[in-house]
Amino acid sequence: MAQTRRHTIIGWALALPAIAERVAIVSVPSRALHLAGLMWWLLLFSFITWSQLRSLLKQKNITSETISMSISAYLLVGFTWGLFYILLHHLQPSAFSFGGSTSPKSGERKIFPLFFYFSLSTLSTIGCGDISPITMQARYAVVAESITGQFYLAILVARIVGMQMSHVATHHRTASQESQ
């Protein structure tokens, strides 16, 4: 109960500045405010992702909720990395190459879906090659996300298989004891 309350307080403490930035940017558009907002959104989604992963790893049985949580956590990891790439792009505009150019020609509004696409293709290690990291920071981030995606799948599959085998063994033992 205390942990749930603490998580709620932390969540709102991160959400309120992020939401306030979205409201303020309409009337006072500035680069500094936009960067601050990106950082708050990144912190908020990092916290949400971490909380979801912790809840997932605490599950004792495989249910449809467990499967849904695992899919949700995976997509949240990709979304959080996408926010990180957007922030990195704003801090280092030449950090990524977009199909031969250093910045997208379609404008700032197209950056968000572009980096979410890039993040999910990196997390899944598909890596289409149309967006490439150029700076060392971007390269390290891309490698870290790729490794995160592989570890997530390996650990999650191992945990689910282990939970299922434990459940089957317990069920088999119970059935054997009842038949005797």
Side-chain angles (χ1 to χ4, degrees):
M1 187 67 155
Q3 185 176 8
T4 303
R5 187 169 190 267
R6 187 175 67 229
H7 279 195
T8 302
I9 291 169
I10 292 170
W12 279 109
L14 294 170
L16 289 176
I19 294 167
E21 177 272 334
R22 290 284 88 196
V23 171
I25 201 83
V26 172
S27 58
V28 187
S30 74
R31 182 175 174 1
L33 185 59
H34 186 64
L35 285 174
L38 279 172
M39 285 189 262
W40 280 111
W41 283 106
L42 178 60
L43 288 172
L44 175 62
F45 274 90
S46 297
F47 175 73
I48 292 168
T49 303
W50 178 253
S51 296
Q52 185 81 7
L53 286 170
R54 285 179 47 110
S55 294
L56 177 61
L57 292 175
K58 288 181 181 179
Q59 296 290 311
K60 303 241 186 274
N61 297 316
I62 301 172
T63 63
S64 59
E65 180 182 356
T66 308
I67 302 300
S68 295
M69 285 176 69
S70 65
I71 294 167
S72 173
Y74 189 75
L75 294 174
L76 279 168
V77 168
F79 192 81
T80 303
W81 277 101
L83 286 170
F84 177 78
Y85 294 138
I86 293 165
L87 180 62
L88 183 59
H89 173 72
H90 281 286
L91 294 172
Q92 296 179 346
S94 63
F96 296 92
S97 171
F98 300 88
S101 66
T102 55
S103 65
K105 297 177 180 14
S106 54
E108 196 63 30
R109 295 190 118 185
K110 301 292 182 179
I111 295 263
F112 282 81
L114 194 62
F115 276 115
F116 294 134
Y117 151 78
F118 175 69
S119 175
L120 290 172
S121 67
T122 300
L123 184 66
S124 63
T125 66
I126 293 171
C128 298
D130 51 345
I131 302 172
S132 303
I134 302 297
T135 65
M136 196 56 70
Q137 294 86 353
R139 289 176 178 173
Y140 284 148
V142 168
V143 167
E145 184 182 14
S146 296
I147 292 169
T148 300
Q150 291 302 300
F151 280 168
Y152 180 89
L153 292 175
I155 291 167
L156 180 70
V157 168
R159 176 141 170 82
I160 287 176
V161 168
M163 287 170 54
Q164 184 64 24
M165 289 176 66
S166 174
H167 176 71
V168 168
T170 302
H171 182 64
H172 182 66
R173 237 180 288 136
T174 305
S176 296
Q177 290 171 355
E178 288 175 359
S179 66
Q180 293 177 353

